[in-house]
mmCIF file of all heavy atoms in Angstrom:
data_model
loop_
_atom_site.group_PDB
_atom_site.id
_atom_site.type_symbol
_atom_site.label_atom_id
_atom_site.label_comp_id
_atom_site.label_asym_id
_atom_site.label_seq_id
_atom_site.Cartn_x
_atom_site.Cartn_y
_atom_site.Cartn_z
ATOM 1 N N PRO A 1 112.185 58.593 106.621
ATOM 2 C CA PRO A 1 112.251 57.108 106.607
ATOM 3 C C PRO A 1 113.735 56.580 106.467
ATOM 4 O O PRO A 1 114.488 57.107 105.653
ATOM 5 C CB PRO A 1 111.408 56.694 105.409
ATOM 6 C CG PRO A 1 110.420 57.824 105.327
ATOM 7 C CD PRO A 1 111.198 59.097 105.645
ATOM 8 N N GLY A 2 114.052 55.627 107.266
ATOM 9 C CA GLY A 2 115.450 55.105 107.240
ATOM 10 C C GLY A 2 116.348 55.778 108.302
ATOM 11 O O GLY A 2 117.398 55.164 108.677
ATOM 12 N N GLN A 3 115.973 56.908 108.788
ATOM 13 C CA GLN A 3 116.825 57.593 109.798
ATOM 14 C C GLN A 3 116.713 56.910 111.121
ATOM 15 O O GLN A 3 115.693 56.509 111.554
ATOM 16 C CB GLN A 3 116.362 59.051 109.894
ATOM 17 C CG GLN A 3 117.139 59.952 110.856
ATOM 18 C CD GLN A 3 116.698 61.372 110.860
ATOM 19 O OE1 GLN A 3 115.971 61.764 110.007
ATOM 20 N NE2 GLN A 3 117.192 62.145 111.859
ATOM 21 N N GLU A 4 117.860 56.841 111.827
ATOM 22 C CA GLU A 4 117.863 56.265 113.163
ATOM 23 C C GLU A 4 117.892 57.423 114.163
ATOM 24 O O GLU A 4 118.715 58.357 114.058
ATOM 25 C CB GLU A 4 119.013 55.331 113.400
ATOM 26 C CG GLU A 4 118.889 54.015 112.618
ATOM 27 C CD GLU A 4 119.800 52.917 113.100
ATOM 28 O OE1 GLU A 4 120.715 53.232 113.902
ATOM 29 O OE2 GLU A 4 119.622 51.775 112.682
ATOM 30 N N LEU A 5 117.083 57.326 115.245
ATOM 31 C CA LEU A 5 117.032 58.265 116.277
ATOM 32 C C LEU A 5 117.624 57.646 117.563
ATOM 33 O O LEU A 5 117.084 56.570 117.949
ATOM 34 C CB LEU A 5 115.631 58.683 116.576
ATOM 35 C CG LEU A 5 114.854 59.271 115.334
ATOM 36 C CD1 LEU A 5 113.414 59.687 115.763
ATOM 37 C CD2 LEU A 5 115.569 60.492 114.720
ATOM 38 N N ARG A 6 118.593 58.243 118.135
ATOM 39 C CA ARG A 6 119.226 57.718 119.327
ATOM 40 C C ARG A 6 118.756 58.585 120.538
ATOM 41 O O ARG A 6 119.041 59.776 120.575
ATOM 42 C CB ARG A 6 120.728 57.649 119.256
ATOM 43 C CG ARG A 6 121.183 56.776 118.138
ATOM 44 C CD ARG A 6 122.693 56.674 117.975
ATOM 45 N NE ARG A 6 123.015 55.680 116.928
ATOM 46 C CZ ARG A 6 123.204 54.403 117.129
ATOM 47 N NH1 ARG A 6 123.097 53.910 118.383
ATOM 48 N NH2 ARG A 6 123.493 53.647 116.122
ATOM 49 N N LEU A 7 118.046 57.952 121.436
ATOM 50 C CA LEU A 7 117.504 58.624 122.637
ATOM 51 C C LEU A 7 118.012 57.978 123.881
ATOM 52 O O LEU A 7 117.445 57.066 124.451
ATOM 53 C CB LEU A 7 115.966 58.538 122.600
ATOM 54 C CG LEU A 7 115.268 59.011 121.308
ATOM 55 C CD1 LEU A 7 114.992 57.792 120.442
ATOM 56 C CD2 LEU A 7 113.940 59.734 121.616
ATOM 57 N N GLY A 8 119.244 58.373 124.290
ATOM 58 C CA GLY A 8 119.934 57.625 125.321
ATOM 59 C C GLY A 8 120.216 56.192 124.887
ATOM 60 O O GLY A 8 120.841 56.019 123.853
ATOM 61 N N ASP A 9 119.792 55.216 125.648
ATOM 62 C CA ASP A 9 120.024 53.831 125.294
ATOM 63 C C ASP A 9 119.055 53.306 124.178
ATOM 64 O O ASP A 9 119.376 52.340 123.586
ATOM 65 C CB ASP A 9 119.797 52.943 126.541
ATOM 66 C CG ASP A 9 120.818 53.168 127.606
ATOM 67 O OD1 ASP A 9 121.934 53.630 127.313
ATOM 68 O OD2 ASP A 9 120.530 52.906 128.778
ATOM 69 N N VAL A 10 117.998 54.069 123.945
ATOM 70 C CA VAL A 10 116.999 53.617 123.009
ATOM 71 C C VAL A 10 117.401 54.055 121.603
ATOM 72 O O VAL A 10 117.830 55.198 121.423
ATOM 73 C CB VAL A 10 115.604 54.200 123.359
ATOM 74 C CG1 VAL A 10 114.581 53.825 122.325
ATOM 75 C CG2 VAL A 10 115.182 53.723 124.720
ATOM 76 N N VAL A 11 117.234 53.123 120.633
ATOM 77 C CA VAL A 11 117.441 53.504 119.231
ATOM 78 C C VAL A 11 116.157 53.144 118.465
ATOM 79 O O VAL A 11 115.720 51.968 118.563
ATOM 80 C CB VAL A 11 118.663 52.725 118.664
ATOM 81 C CG1 VAL A 11 118.876 53.149 117.168
ATOM 82 C CG2 VAL A 11 119.928 53.076 119.410
ATOM 83 N N LEU A 12 115.693 54.064 117.717
ATOM 84 C CA LEU A 12 114.473 53.912 116.861
ATOM 85 C C LEU A 12 114.856 54.060 115.419
ATOM 86 O O LEU A 12 115.684 54.961 115.063
ATOM 87 C CB LEU A 12 113.377 54.879 117.219
ATOM 88 C CG LEU A 12 112.921 54.955 118.749
ATOM 89 C CD1 LEU A 12 111.886 56.001 118.918
ATOM 90 C CD2 LEU A 12 112.390 53.581 119.172
ATOM 91 N N ARG A 13 114.262 53.351 114.581
ATOM 92 C CA ARG A 13 114.431 53.537 113.125
ATOM 93 C C ARG A 13 113.102 53.940 112.470
ATOM 94 O O ARG A 13 112.131 53.218 112.568
ATOM 95 C CB ARG A 13 114.999 52.259 112.430
ATOM 96 C CG ARG A 13 115.226 52.446 110.867
ATOM 97 C CD ARG A 13 115.786 51.221 110.244
ATOM 98 N NE ARG A 13 117.081 50.862 110.731
ATOM 99 C CZ ARG A 13 117.398 49.722 111.357
ATOM 100 N NH1 ARG A 13 116.480 48.817 111.586
ATOM 101 N NH2 ARG A 13 118.632 49.534 111.756
ATOM 102 N N VAL A 14 113.123 55.082 111.788
ATOM 103 C CA VAL A 14 111.883 55.548 111.117
ATOM 104 C C VAL A 14 111.573 54.698 110.001
ATOM 105 O O VAL A 14 112.467 54.368 109.132
ATOM 106 C CB VAL A 14 112.067 57.045 110.752
ATOM 107 C CG1 VAL A 14 110.855 57.553 110.050
ATOM 108 C CG2 VAL A 14 112.369 57.912 111.997
ATOM 109 N N VAL A 15 110.313 54.290 109.865
ATOM 110 C CA VAL A 15 109.898 53.371 108.828
ATOM 111 C C VAL A 15 109.082 54.070 107.734
ATOM 112 O O VAL A 15 109.490 54.008 106.527
ATOM 113 C CB VAL A 15 109.022 52.176 109.429
ATOM 114 C CG1 VAL A 15 108.702 51.191 108.315
ATOM 115 C CG2 VAL A 15 109.787 51.525 110.535
ATOM 116 N N LEU A 16 108.004 54.695 108.096
ATOM 117 C CA LEU A 16 107.130 55.359 107.138
ATOM 118 C C LEU A 16 106.475 56.623 107.708
ATOM 119 O O LEU A 16 106.333 56.731 108.934
ATOM 120 C CB LEU A 16 105.950 54.408 106.816
ATOM 121 C CG LEU A 16 106.221 53.121 105.965
ATOM 122 C CD1 LEU A 16 104.918 52.322 105.932
ATOM 123 C CD2 LEU A 16 106.713 53.426 104.654
ATOM 124 N N PRO A 17 106.043 57.536 106.882
ATOM 125 C CA PRO A 17 105.187 58.581 107.341
ATOM 126 C C PRO A 17 103.824 57.956 107.715
ATOM 127 O O PRO A 17 103.522 56.811 107.173
ATOM 128 C CB PRO A 17 105.069 59.520 106.151
ATOM 129 C CG PRO A 17 105.385 58.608 104.934
ATOM 130 C CD PRO A 17 106.367 57.665 105.419
ATOM 131 N N THR A 18 103.073 58.564 108.611
ATOM 132 C CA THR A 18 101.878 57.982 109.167
ATOM 133 C C THR A 18 100.582 58.442 108.372
ATOM 134 O O THR A 18 100.184 59.602 108.428
ATOM 135 C CB THR A 18 101.677 58.379 110.604
ATOM 136 O OG1 THR A 18 102.886 58.069 111.354
ATOM 137 C CG2 THR A 18 100.479 57.653 111.271
ATOM 138 N N PRO A 19 99.968 57.468 107.591
ATOM 139 C CA PRO A 19 98.728 57.853 106.927
ATOM 140 C C PRO A 19 97.646 58.151 107.960
ATOM 141 O O PRO A 19 97.560 57.420 108.967
ATOM 142 C CB PRO A 19 98.405 56.594 106.100
ATOM 143 C CG PRO A 19 99.736 55.878 106.007
ATOM 144 C CD PRO A 19 100.466 56.145 107.254
ATOM 145 N N ARG A 20 96.861 59.135 107.734
ATOM 146 C CA ARG A 20 95.878 59.548 108.710
ATOM 147 C C ARG A 20 94.448 59.113 108.395
ATOM 148 O O ARG A 20 94.143 58.924 107.218
ATOM 149 C CB ARG A 20 95.861 61.092 108.868
ATOM 150 C CG ARG A 20 97.197 61.743 109.182
ATOM 151 C CD ARG A 20 98.040 61.163 110.253
ATOM 152 N NE ARG A 20 97.430 60.694 111.477
ATOM 153 C CZ ARG A 20 98.104 60.440 112.576
ATOM 154 N NH1 ARG A 20 99.453 60.594 112.592
ATOM 155 N NH2 ARG A 20 97.514 60.007 113.675
ATOM 156 N N CYS A 21 93.640 58.941 109.435
ATOM 157 C CA CYS A 21 92.283 58.497 109.352
ATOM 158 C C CYS A 21 91.325 59.620 109.833
ATOM 159 O O CYS A 21 91.784 60.754 109.903
ATOM 160 C CB CYS A 21 92.065 57.139 110.110
ATOM 161 S SG CYS A 21 92.401 57.354 111.861
ATOM 162 N N VAL A 22 90.138 59.250 110.272
ATOM 163 C CA VAL A 22 89.197 60.302 110.693
ATOM 164 C C VAL A 22 89.500 60.750 112.136
ATOM 165 O O VAL A 22 89.025 61.847 112.526
ATOM 166 C CB VAL A 22 87.779 59.733 110.698
ATOM 167 C CG1 VAL A 22 87.304 59.423 109.279
ATOM 168 C CG2 VAL A 22 87.611 58.503 111.615
ATOM 169 N N ILE A 23 90.303 60.069 112.902
ATOM 170 C CA ILE A 23 90.409 60.286 114.334
ATOM 171 C C ILE A 23 90.977 61.707 114.630
ATOM 172 O O ILE A 23 90.434 62.345 115.617
ATOM 173 C CB ILE A 23 91.304 59.260 115.001
ATOM 174 C CG1 ILE A 23 90.548 57.862 115.010
ATOM 175 C CG2 ILE A 23 91.669 59.615 116.431
ATOM 176 C CD1 ILE A 23 91.303 56.750 115.627
ATOM 177 N N PRO A 24 91.942 62.288 113.934
ATOM 178 C CA PRO A 24 92.391 63.630 114.289
ATOM 179 C C PRO A 24 91.261 64.693 114.272
ATOM 180 O O PRO A 24 91.423 65.734 114.966
ATOM 181 C CB PRO A 24 93.499 63.964 113.222
ATOM 182 C CG PRO A 24 94.012 62.617 112.865
ATOM 183 C CD PRO A 24 92.795 61.702 112.864
ATOM 184 N N GLY A 25 90.228 64.481 113.537
ATOM 185 C CA GLY A 25 89.159 65.435 113.508
ATOM 186 C C GLY A 25 88.014 65.255 114.487
ATOM 187 O O GLY A 25 87.128 66.029 114.646
ATOM 188 N N LEU A 26 88.137 64.137 115.291
ATOM 189 C CA LEU A 26 87.072 63.821 116.284
ATOM 190 C C LEU A 26 87.281 64.499 117.581
ATOM 191 O O LEU A 26 88.355 64.921 117.926
ATOM 192 C CB LEU A 26 87.073 62.258 116.489
ATOM 193 C CG LEU A 26 86.795 61.354 115.282
ATOM 194 C CD1 LEU A 26 86.832 59.909 115.785
ATOM 195 C CD2 LEU A 26 85.446 61.715 114.620
ATOM 196 N N SER A 27 86.253 64.579 118.376
ATOM 197 C CA SER A 27 86.309 65.123 119.742
ATOM 198 C C SER A 27 87.072 64.066 120.559
ATOM 199 O O SER A 27 86.741 62.856 120.527
ATOM 200 C CB SER A 27 84.888 65.273 120.275
ATOM 201 O OG SER A 27 84.914 65.590 121.657
ATOM 202 N N GLN A 28 88.026 64.538 121.279
ATOM 203 C CA GLN A 28 88.825 63.657 122.137
ATOM 204 C C GLN A 28 89.140 64.300 123.484
ATOM 205 O O GLN A 28 89.769 65.367 123.513
ATOM 206 C CB GLN A 28 90.214 63.354 121.503
ATOM 207 C CG GLN A 28 90.097 62.685 120.130
ATOM 208 C CD GLN A 28 91.458 62.432 119.511
ATOM 209 O OE1 GLN A 28 92.344 61.897 120.154
ATOM 210 N NE2 GLN A 28 91.566 62.719 118.224
ATOM 211 N N ALA A 29 88.665 63.743 124.565
ATOM 212 C CA ALA A 29 88.881 64.303 125.879
ATOM 213 C C ALA A 29 88.469 65.742 125.909
ATOM 214 O O ALA A 29 87.312 66.146 125.640
ATOM 215 C CB ALA A 29 90.337 64.087 126.327
ATOM 216 N N GLU A 30 89.451 66.667 126.168
ATOM 217 C CA GLU A 30 89.105 68.052 126.218
ATOM 218 C C GLU A 30 89.086 68.732 124.921
ATOM 219 O O GLU A 30 88.810 69.964 124.732
ATOM 220 C CB GLU A 30 90.084 68.766 127.160
ATOM 221 C CG GLU A 30 91.485 69.006 126.644
ATOM 222 C CD GLU A 30 92.420 67.766 126.716
ATOM 223 O OE1 GLU A 30 91.908 66.713 127.186
ATOM 224 O OE2 GLU A 30 93.608 67.802 126.315
ATOM 225 N N LEU A 31 89.474 68.038 123.833
ATOM 226 C CA LEU A 31 89.526 68.626 122.492
ATOM 227 C C LEU A 31 88.166 68.481 121.754
ATOM 228 O O LEU A 31 87.649 67.411 121.662
ATOM 229 C CB LEU A 31 90.633 67.931 121.667
ATOM 230 C CG LEU A 31 92.053 67.987 122.206
ATOM 231 C CD1 LEU A 31 92.936 67.170 121.351
ATOM 232 C CD2 LEU A 31 92.542 69.426 122.238
ATOM 233 N N PRO A 32 87.648 69.583 121.248
ATOM 234 C CA PRO A 32 86.440 69.487 120.427
ATOM 235 C C PRO A 32 86.679 68.934 119.088
ATOM 236 O O PRO A 32 87.823 68.876 118.602
ATOM 237 C CB PRO A 32 85.970 70.950 120.308
ATOM 238 C CG PRO A 32 87.231 71.679 120.377
ATOM 239 C CD PRO A 32 88.148 70.981 121.284
ATOM 240 N N ALA A 33 85.631 68.461 118.396
ATOM 241 C CA ALA A 33 85.768 67.939 117.008
ATOM 242 C C ALA A 33 86.286 69.146 116.155
ATOM 243 O O ALA A 33 85.898 70.290 116.361
ATOM 244 C CB ALA A 33 84.420 67.431 116.520
#
């Protein structure tokens, strides 16, 4: 958090780690639950 990432002309600033919900464990497209 706070780090800036420079990707060519694009600059991103990291804000927070991402809290996770149930979705990573669900079936998605070709991925099984």
